[in-house]
Amino acid sequence: MGEFRRSGTCSVTVSDLPICELSQGGILSFDFANTIGVITSAVAEQGIQSVTQGLPRQQDTAQIKSGLDDVTSASSARLVCLDNAPGLGGWKPISEILAGLRSLMHQYVRRHKEPIVLAYDIETTKLPLKFPDPSSDSIMMISYMIDGQGYLLTNREVIGADVEDFEYTPKPEYEGPFTVWNMANEAAVIRKFFDHILEVKPHIFVTYNGDSFDWPFVQARAEFHGLDMEDEIGFAMDSQEEYKCRPCIHMDAFRYSVGSWWWDGGERVRVVEHLRSIQAKLQYDPVELDPEDMCRMACEDPQGLSNYSVSDAVATYYLYMQYVHPFIFALCTIIPMEPDEVLRKGSGTLCEALLMVQAFHGNIVFPNKQEAVFNKLTNDGHLLDSETYVGGHVEALESGVFRSDLPLRFRMSPEMLKQLADNVERTLQHTIEKEEKVPLEQVTNFREVCDRIQQKLLGLHDNPNRSECPLIYHLDVGAMYPNIILTNRLQPPAVVNEAICAACDFNKPGATCQRNMQWMWKGQFMPASRNEYQSIRLQLESETLPSETPGGPPRLFHQFSLADQAAMEKRRVADYCKKAYKKVHLTREELKMTTICQRENSFYVDTVRAFRDRRYEFKGLLKMYIPDIVLQVWKKKLDAAKVKGDPAEIKSCKNREVLYDSLQLAHKCILNSFYGYVMRKGARWYSMEMAGIVCYTGANIITKAKEIVEQIGRPLELDTDGIWCVLPSSFPESFEIQTSNPKKAKFMISYPGAMLNVMVQDYFTNDQYQELVDPENLVYERRNENSIFFEVDGPYRAMVLPAAKEEGKKLKKRYAVFHQDGSLAELKGFEVKRRGELQLIKIFQSSVFETFLHGGTLEECYAAVARVADYWLDVLYSQAESMPDTELFELISENRSMSRKLEDYGDQKSTSISTAKRLAEFLGDQMVKDAGLSCRFIISKKPDGAPVTERAIPLAIFQAEPSIKKHYLRKWLKSTALDNFDIRSVLDWDYYVERLGNAIQKIITIPAAMQSVPNPVPRIKHPDWLHKKLLEKNDVCKQQKISSMFARLPKPSEQDCDAGDSIGEASTSEGTKRVSEAMDQPEDIENVVGEGRKKAAVQLPFVTKHRSTTLPSPSRAPPPQSWRTVLGPASPQRDHAGGVLHLAGVPQEEVEASEGPEAREEAAASHAAARPLRRTPP
């Protein structure tokens, strides 16, 4: 039915309320204690009369609920959210609720009552190394917070002593006063918890992984003590195994952390670790406990266990209030779904619900859900196994550390710099008029800015090869995929073919509504031909196949379902290809052309545009741009309120800041989902062609921008929607434009972004965009459209890019970027962000990144990071002799969770499987009967020669009794004579040195070699391929290349030959000077190793020697004939360009001046045999 919510923080849905009476006139009445409590408290402040007065207990509603049809969430979404579109997420004044659902008023209430939020967490007993089992374990503590007030329930049957009231406040803004109730037993704990819920009547329940652990455990333990949780507080599991309650909502913050809505600095990060991995958002270190120590602490240290328990409740509550709560309910203002559904559903489902609303109100028929087509064939008759499109272009170009205070060598293109200088006026005019929407006539310093930019560009043109400090920029396209959709009017219904266009009324000669766009198709198919596939299918149709059940009648091929038939055909064709072609799959990419109709109903495009504009609106309310400074409006007002000491204004400013930020972030999430949704399986608006066009166009934009950047700087990394690059510090940067408009007196423009935006305007503008201007007569207006613009982020202080260990490879999407103040701006792709990675690697990376900012030169920088690497290498080489065992366990142990039961893995081999099997040996088979087993292990050095998967030792064995530890270690290590059972003697230290060495190679040593810095960590050797390349580069006796011995010269004219004597000396002097300068220029190792940037070719001068002015006497004896004279002249050797190749160092004048071909060949041979050749006068 209907939904009643408040903006940003909301409460109740009508679909969640039990219906007492539904008359023929559609009049609703409600009679439910908790629900009416919510509604009356919400409307009391608005002066609205209460709907009802009676508040019966929950148990009294059982008869009312019986016999009534349940209203499912799908029905509420269909009847209310889609058809009526009430606009969820905001409080609505209910003035005439008895007059029907459509009487809801659609204006928002500015002042509203805050909902009651309860966040809770439980602590339970458990057997050693096992996950808590509600059938045998019990609840020790329940800690929860209600609107900032904490409560703790303790089970005195388990807890060794009473716990007094205390306060847990990790930070001043996270207050946590806790009231403690020491209950006699577990039943009393659960009863008190239920009674307090009924007393407070929370609107929102918050848990962390409550659907999978907290609620099932509480429900099972309540049933054990004769309590029905659904009858007591209304919570029960639904068909989707989610715990929900009709009068309130359950928000599982774990779904927020692992779903599609966790954004950090514009990057979506999936977090699947425990709550402590997310508490970095709250910026405090929580209490940490080993789960194996909890039961012991319950008896020995109740206060310590209490601190640990309430820390989870505090973190859950403030995590929800600061991040989940404003964000999810901001989405509820957009998505026609309930907040718990918005939290749990994926982005594709939410995007489709939104499109259905827009289509319904635009009178658009909903398409059927996309269905799979079985066993498609390619155009040339091969069975297609899978097909998709080529995604965005991502490329790693360079490796190493790049800092804004360390000079870099730049080799720029003079032609590109000249071209940019000639186009400065056009570039600035486009930026001012198209991007800033300011008429050029209002600009007062246009000529001055143009001259400044041209002066800098011409200065670079005169000296294109230079060494200076760089500017580190990220040039990215703002909302690239949505803007590509808007620019090209892309939408699934607009993808047409010849048959559709032939039946269209607008298909007339000269029609411009068909825009042809390219995309790259990628398919995986089987090599069998069409005839072979048809033969195999005919064979299957003639066979009798076994029954589905043992003893049943045999079945024919046509009796199977279409999906089963397709699977059988694929298996049979795959077996045939394996035997006949020795391969099962082939992969092919094809460039395809698709027609996009520019006159299709634009509801999809209009929806994307509306969301983009609304996001910009909220972003504008949050931020205000001032030259070189970005000030947050509400943060500025907040500081002013703090100066005045006005608590009400302080709270209001904080709420506004969070609200606008959440709204723009919610719009951003949905905006980015419009592209990915069209390739979602089962989507109503499905189109592979549209997704392929979007990606192909985006890749072309980035590739075209790279071609420009590499001629004026050095591109470092290509992202899907941007370029990380370094530009010379003397390159034009930011300029202030002054206008005569008092509303916009001045603004800043960034020349690097403006330069790329002109390129986008030239190459990616849609000149066929058509807009409906007269719906009655179907009149369209054609215009140019381009909303794709580059944005400039930076300059940054430093960027660190690792290198791959394999030759010719680069590590994509891995880098660390630092702000000017030294703080980490972005960290992407490193092990420090991965779950289950070796803790030693994480600690090393966390400490080494900030060290890249030390040192005044590149060598000093690498020396600083080398000291960090040497420290951890010393720890491993010394076998951590000065480190406590507990710290060593944490440092070198790995923790993996098994998602399935051990028996489900079969014959697979892995370290976690070996650990699980060995845990079952000394702890019993019951340890591995369930999924979710946590395997914490180390790698031993024995048995000798065994693979790593067989040398995984459970860490728990070192905590067992000495006799058990000795027995199983001797068994697993296959050493009956083993007498030293210390972990240091068991560990494979070489394995851990190798693991750390791999990380050091990728981050330090290989990037250092790429930047011509000697190995800063000599104990970590370079890979063989890199060592070989370095030897070749530094070898003084290496064989010279043929290009250093030969040079191609144009054929000189007679005038050049006559002037050769007069300019010979000057040209020799100048040529020698240029060669010297070229040889002194140091060379990057990336020009030798891998696929680095191509070095600009240095043209070596052709050095000529003076021709002797004394001619030989005619009476001089003829020289002996050479083999060339005897055999005759050889055919001239020409290069690919048609030029004649000459020996380097042979005087061209002398060869050309000879009498004949024999003399020219002889002169060339003489100069090749002995240089320099001197003539002796007679």
Side-chain angles (χ1 to χ4, degrees):
M1 309 299 277
E3 304 204 3
F4 305 87
R5 308 202 184 281
R6 57 168 291 243
S7 178
T9 52
C10 127
S11 136
V12 167
T13 69
V14 175
S15 63
D16 287 334
L17 310 181
I19 301 175
C20 299
E21 181 180 357
L22 179 59
S23 65
Q24 295 181 355
I27 299 177
L28 303 177
S29 62
F30 307 90
D31 194 5
F32 188 67
N34 294 334
T35 302
I36 297 305
V38 173
I39 295 179
T40 54
S41 62
V43 303
E45 294 187 356
Q46 306 302 323
I48 302 175
Q49 294 181 355
S50 176
V51 179
T52 183
Q53 300 296 329
L55 300 177
R57 289 182 56 83
Q58 174 94 10
Q59 291 82 356
D60 299 334
T61 63
Q63 296 180 355
I64 300 176
K65 289 192 292 184
S66 63
L68 296 176
D69 294 334
D70 184 25
V71 181
T72 64
S73 59
S75 300
S76 67
R78 175 66 181 89
L79 297 176
V80 178
C81 302
L82 297 184
D83 294 359
N84 297 313
L88 313 181
W91 280 110
K92 310 290 192 306
I94 310 173
S95 58
E96 297 178 357
I97 190 172
L98 297 180
L101 181 62
R102 293 184 182 271
S103 65
L104 293 178
M105 299 174 63
H106 288 256
Q107 65 267 25
Y108 287 86
V109 180
R110 295 180 179 271
R111 298 293 180 181
H112 47 256
K113 178 180 175 62
E114 293 293 336
I116 301 174
V117 179
L118 184 149
Y120 84 96
D121 182 73
I122 65 173
E123 308 299 337
T124 67
T125 60
K126 61 182 289 294
L127 295 176
L129 302 175
K130 287 201 63 177
F131 197 75
D133 185 357
S135 62
S136 58
D137 297 318
S138 61
I139 298 176
M140 294 191 296
M141 291 180 175
I142 299 180
S143 54
Y144 55 100
M145 293 196 75
I146 303 176
D147 292 346
Q149 173 61 48
Y151 301 92
L152 176 64
L153 301 173
T154 65
N155 179 5
R156 287 290 280 107
E157 286 184 341
V158 180
I159 304 301
D162 287 345
V163 179
E164 300 295 332
D165 295 351
F166 64 98
E167 180 177 357
Y168 179 81
T169 303
K171 295 185 71 176
E173 56 267 34
Y174 304 142
E175 296 182 356
F178 274 85
T179 300
V180 182
W181 290 316
N182 297 286
M183 312 307 294
N185 50 45
E186 184 186 34
V189 169
I190 298 176
R191 177 76 268 174
K192 179 65 177 178
F193 184 51
F194 288 169
D195 290 343
H196 200 191
I197 290 175
L198 294 175
E199 176 185 353
V200 178
K201 299 182 179 63
H203 304 145
I204 302 172
F205 281 78
V206 183
T207 62
Y208 191 87
N209 199 26
D211 283 330
S212 302
F213 178 70
D214 296 87
W215 284 119
F217 204 99
V218 172
Q219 183 181 27
R221 298 310 299 171
E223 291 178 358
F224 180 81
H225 295 289
L227 299 174
D228 190 329
M229 188 173 71
E230 183 177 8
D231 289 341
E232 292 291 336
I233 59 175
F235 272 93
M237 181 186 293
D238 62 5
S239 59
Q240 299 178 346
E241 297 184 353
E242 298 170 353
Y243 280 80
K244 298 177 182 177
C245 180
R246 300 184 71 86
C248 56
I249 59 177
H250 170 219
M251 306 293 284
D252 191 342
F254 181 74
R255 299 298 184 95
Y256 174 79
S257 66
V258 301
S260 303
W261 309 116
W262 183 265
W263 290 77
D264 187 6
E267 174 190 3
R268 183 161 56 184
V269 182
R270 291 188 176 272
V271 185
V272 292
E273 290 185 330
H274 195 255
L275 179 60
R276 285 152 188 77
S277 64
I278 301 177
Q279 286 173 341
K281 274 290 191 183
L282 303 179
Q283 298 180 355
Y284 78 89
D285 295 327
V287 178
E288 294 284 353
L289 272 186
D290 188 344
E292 305 301 322
D293 296 334
M294 292 176 60
C295 293
R296 176 186 59 81
M297 291 187 64
C299 298
E300 300 177 2
D301 187 9
Q303 186 61 52
L305 184 62
S306 300
N307 292 336
Y308 168 77
S309 177
V310 301
S311 69
D312 281 354
V314 170
T316 304
Y317 176 79
Y318 286 107
L319 173 70
Y320 172 79
M321 293 303 295
Q322 290 203 7
Y323 297 100
V324 186
H325 187 83
F327 179 67
I328 293 299
F329 286 102
L331 279 175
C332 286
T333 64
I334 310 168
I335 305 299
M337 281 187 175
E338 305 166 4
D340 43 5
E341 292 294 325
V342 171
L343 178 66
R344 290 175 169 85
K345 300 298 183 182
S347 59
T349 303
L350 303 183
C351 189
E352 182 170 279
L354 174 64
L355 288 173
M356 290 175 69
V357 174
Q358 303 298 325
F360 177 82
H361 293 282
N363 202 24
I364 305 296
V365 178
F366 297 167
N368 293 329
K369 290 182 177 292
Q370 181 261 349
E371 297 181 357
V373 179
F374 298 111
N375 288 356
K376 289 178 61 177
L377 297 178
T378 61
N379 295 333
D380 51 355
H382 296 287
L383 180 61
L384 194 62
D385 189 33
S386 64
E387 63 174 343
T388 182
Y389 58 93
V390 177
H393 183 65
V394 179
E395 184 180 0
L397 301 174
E398 297 206 31
S399 302
V401 55
F402 299 88
R403 284 172 32 183
S404 60
D405 58 339
L406 299 181
L408 285 178
R409 291 187 300 275
F410 293 94
R411 305 182 187 95
M412 293 172 283
S413 169
E415 294 79 9
M416 176 56 66
L417 293 171
K418 185 65 168 61
Q419 179 181 345
L420 292 177
D422 294 340
N423 293 333
V424 166
E425 293 187 9
R426 177 172 173 264
T427 301
L428 291 185
Q429 182 178 355
H430 174 268
T431 303
I432 294 171
E433 295 182 343
K434 300 295 184 182
E435 298 182 43
E436 300 296 336
K437 309 297 182 184
V438 175
L440 188 61
E441 297 77 16
Q442 296 182 2
V443 178
T444 59
N445 64 336
F446 180 77
R447 173 50 53 191
E448 176 188 348
V449 174
C450 289
D451 293 341
R452 290 168 57 191
I453 296 177
Q454 286 179 339
Q455 183 179 1
K456 287 195 171 187
L457 291 175
L458 293 177
L460 294 172
H461 173 271
D462 296 337
N463 187 14
N465 298 335
R466 57 178 60 206
S467 177
E468 59 184 59
C469 293
L471 299 171
I472 304 174
Y473 282 115
H474 185 211
L475 309 174
D476 69 317
V477 181
M480 183 170 76
Y481 285 171
N483 280 314
I484 291 176
I485 293 174
L486 296 177
T487 298
N488 298 283
R489 219 173 185 270
L490 293 172
Q491 49 188 350
V495 178
V496 296
N497 51 34
E498 294 181 357
I500 297 176
C501 291
C504 179
D505 295 338
F506 297 103
N507 189 15
K508 301 177 182 179
T512 59
C513 56
Q514 301 174 4
R515 178 168 173 80
N516 296 322
M517 302 194 70
Q518 293 180 329
W519 63 287
M520 188 67 70
W521 174 87
K522 182 179 182 180
Q524 190 178 60
F525 57 92
M526 298 182 183
S529 65
R530 188 192 306 269
N531 293 336
E532 292 169 330
Y533 166 69
Q534 295 293 349
S535 300
I536 293 173
R537 181 177 175 83
L538 290 175
Q539 182 180 0
L540 282 172
E541 292 177 351
S542 63
E543 292 180 0
T544 301
L545 302 171
S547 173
E548 184 178 5
T549 59
R555 294 181 295 173
L556 298 177
F557 181 73
H558 70 270
Q559 294 177 327
F560 288 83
S561 64
L562 293 179
D564 292 339
Q565 290 181 20
M568 294 169 63
E569 290 174 2
K570 278 191 176 181
R571 285 196 298 268
R572 189 67 64 89
V573 174
D575 293 339
Y576 171 79
C577 292
K578 189 181 298 183
K579 297 177 181 178
Y581 295 93
K582 307 302 180 184
K583 62 182 66 176
V584 178
H585 293 113
L586 295 175
T587 302
R588 183 169 63 201
E589 294 183 0
E590 293 180 4
L591 185 63
K592 294 193 174 185
M593 186 77 71
T594 298
T595 302
I596 304 299
C597 177
Q598 298 295 296
R599 293 188 177 183
E600 179 62 45
N601 189 299
S602 60
F603 93 96
Y604 192 99
V605 176
D606 293 341
T607 303
V608 177
R609 181 179 288 106
F611 268 79
R612 184 199 64 180
D613 295 342
R614 283 165 61 183
R615 189 209 168 205
Y616 289 161
E617 178 183 354
F618 289 124
K619 198 172 182 180
L621 291 172
L622 180 66
K623 295 182 178 181
M624 176 176 59
Y625 292 90
I626 297 178
D628 297 332
I629 302 175
V630 178
L631 294 179
Q632 294 188 5
V633 176
W634 291 102
K635 187 175 242 183
K636 186 177 179 181
K637 292 185 177 182
L638 176 61
D639 296 338
K642 289 181 178 179
V643 174
K644 295 179 181 179
D646 187 353
E649 185 67 19
I650 292 175
K651 184 176 182 181
S652 175
C653 291
K654 285 184 177 180
N655 292 339
R656 288 289 179 176
E657 182 183 357
V658 172
L659 175 62
Y660 288 137
D661 191 33
S662 300
L663 285 171
Q664 71 90 12
L665 189 58
H667 281 75
K668 179 179 180 180
C669 293
I670 299 302
L671 193 62
N672 289 333
S673 300
F674 283 109
Y675 149 74
Y677 163 75
V678 297
M679 271 297 289
R680 176 175 174 262
K681 291 184 179 180
R684 294 185 181 273
W685 287 273
Y686 177 89
S687 176
M688 181 193 300
E689 294 85 353
M690 174 182 165
I693 291 172
V694 171
C695 284
Y696 188 77
T697 305
N700 286 341
I701 292 174
I702 299 303
T703 304
K704 193 70 179 178
K706 174 199 168 187
E707 294 175 1
I708 297 177
V709 171
E710 66 185 358
Q711 297 183 72
I712 59 175
R714 295 172 62 172
L716 304 179
E717 178 98 7
L718 302 187
D719 279 343
T720 305
D721 59 349
I723 301 177
W724 288 96
C725 65
V726 288
L727 302 177
S729 58
S730 55
F731 191 83
E733 194 177 357
S734 297
F735 297 89
E736 181 182 287
I737 302 296
Q738 299 176 358
T739 70
S740 58
N741 187 351
K743 295 183 178 180
K744 200 170 187 179
K746 57 184 178 180
F747 57 89
M748 298 296 296
I749 64 169
S750 177
Y751 180 74
M755 168 190 66
L756 296 180
N757 287 334
V758 171
M759 177 273 297
V760 175
Q761 181 75 18
D762 292 340
Y763 291 94
F764 299 97
T765 296
N766 179 11
D767 56 355
Q768 300 176 242
Y769 194 96
Q770 306 210 13
E771 187 174 4
L772 182 64
V773 294
D774 188 357
E776 294 183 1
N777 300 319
L778 296 179
V779 177
Y780 288 85
E781 179 185 3
R782 177 180 173 181
R783 59 182 173 85
N784 293 345
E785 175 65 22
N786 192 336
S787 60
I788 307 170
F789 296 101
F790 272 87
E791 298 174 350
V792 179
D793 297 330
Y796 295 95
R797 181 175 177 181
M799 185 173 186
V800 179
L801 298 106
K805 293 181 58 180
E806 297 78 12
E807 183 178 7
K809 291 185 178 181
K810 297 286 186 179
L811 295 180
K812 302 177 182 179
K813 293 187 176 183
R814 291 193 189 182
Y815 49 80
V817 185
F818 295 88
H819 287 299
Q820 294 292 349
D821 60 357
S823 61
L824 191 63
E826 189 170 351
L827 182 66
K828 193 169 186 178
F830 287 99
E831 290 81 355
V832 70
K833 301 182 68 174
R834 299 179 189 170
R835 180 174 181 250
E837 187 60 48
L838 191 64
Q839 192 68 19
L840 173 65
I841 305 298
K842 290 185 176 183
I843 297 175
F844 163 70
Q845 290 186 353
S846 300
S847 57
V848 78
F849 284 134
E850 60 184 15
T851 315
F852 275 105
L853 302 179
H854 299 171
T857 63
L858 197 60
E859 290 75 11
E860 293 177 0
C861 173
Y862 277 109
V865 296
R867 285 191 290 270
V868 178
D870 287 333
Y871 170 80
W872 291 108
L873 286 174
D874 291 340
V875 170
L876 295 181
Y877 280 115
S878 65
Q879 299 187 359
E881 57 184 2
S882 60
M883 185 177 294
D885 288 353
T886 55
E887 188 175 345
L888 177 60
F889 290 155
E890 184 69 24
L891 192 67
I892 50 87
S893 64
E894 298 180 64
N895 195 358
R896 307 283 174 82
S897 295
M898 300 181 64
S899 58
R900 295 177 289 171
K901 298 179 182 179
L902 179 60
E903 59 186 18
D904 296 338
Y905 288 94
D907 296 333
Q908 299 182 33
K909 294 182 179 180
S910 70
T911 52
S912 55
I913 293 175
S914 299
T915 303
K917 291 179 179 179
R918 290 173 174 178
L919 284 173
E921 286 188 45
F922 79 99
L923 293 177
D925 293 335
Q926 72 278 2
M927 284 293 303
V928 295
K929 66 178 182 180
D930 299 324
L933 179 66
S934 178
C935 300
R936 195 177 179 190
F937 59 89
I938 54 97
I939 303 300
S940 66
K941 62 182 177 182
K942 291 185 178 182
D944 296 330
V948 175
T949 56
E950 297 180 10
R951 291 187 280 122
I953 306 297
L955 196 62
I957 193 64
F958 294 97
Q959 302 172 359
E961 297 180 2
S963 58
I964 298 177
K965 179 173 69 173
K966 293 178 181 179
H967 171 74
Y968 284 104
L969 284 179
R970 286 170 177 165
K971 177 181 179 181
W972 295 335
L973 302 180
K974 297 181 180 180
S975 176
T976 57
L978 183 66
D979 56 356
N980 187 357
F981 300 95
D982 182 69
I983 188 173
R984 289 171 175 80
S985 63
V986 174
L987 283 173
D988 184 2
W989 292 101
D990 293 337
Y991 166 82
Y992 291 101
V993 169
E994 182 182 1
R995 289 284 299 273
L996 179 61
N998 291 338
I1000 294 175
Q1001 281 183 329
K1002 294 177 182 178
I1003 299 176
I1004 302 178
T1005 60
I1006 300 180
M1010 296 292 183
Q1011 295 185 298
S1012 302
V1013 176
N1015 190 349
V1017 189
R1019 285 184 289 184
I1020 303 299
K1021 304 299 182 183
H1022 286 315
D1024 294 339
W1025 62 268
L1026 180 58
H1027 182 67
K1028 179 181 177 182
K1029 294 292 183 181
L1030 293 175
L1031 289 179
E1032 293 177 357
K1033 178 177 180 292
N1034 299 322
D1035 188 6
V1036 295
C1037 299
K1038 64 181 178 181
Q1039 182 179 359
Q1040 293 187 358
K1041 297 181 180 179
I1042 193 171
S1043 59
S1044 64
M1045 302 173 61
F1046 291 89
R1048 180 173 59 89
L1049 288 178
K1051 185 176 181 179
S1053 62
E1054 296 181 359
Q1055 182 178 1
D1056 294 336
C1057 295
D1058 296 338
D1061 293 336
S1062 61
I1063 64 174
E1065 183 177 356
S1067 62
T1068 302
S1069 177
E1070 182 181 358
T1072 306
K1073 179 180 179 181
R1074 294 210 311 261
V1075 169
S1076 177
E1077 292 177 352
M1079 298 302 293
D1080 291 340
Q1081 183 77 356
E1083 184 180 14
D1084 284 350
I1085 186 67
E1086 56 260 31
N1087 298 323
V1088 181
V1089 183
E1091 301 176 357
R1093 290 196 319 119
K1094 292 185 177 180
K1095 179 180 176 182
V1098 179
Q1099 183 177 2
L1100 296 178
F1102 187 87
V1103 182
T1104 59
K1105 299 183 181 298
H1106 287 291
R1107 185 167 48 185
S1108 177
T1109 56
T1110 305
L1111 296 178
S1113 173
S1115 61
R1116 184 181 179 183
Q1121 292 184 336
S1122 66
W1123 61 271
R1124 289 183 177 81
T1125 305
V1126 177
L1127 297 179
S1131 59
Q1133 299 294 323
R1134 298 183 178 270
D1135 61 0
H1136 295 291
V1140 180
L1141 292 176
H1142 302 284
L1143 281 173
V1146 180
Q1148 183 67 13
E1149 300 89 345
E1150 187 171 322
V1151 176
E1152 293 291 339
S1154 301
E1155 293 297 332
E1158 294 85 1
R1160 287 197 296 267
E1161 293 293 338
E1162 182 179 355
S1166 301
H1167 282 280
R1171 298 190 187 103
L1173 178 64
R1174 301 185 181 274
R1175 299 177 183 269
T1176 304

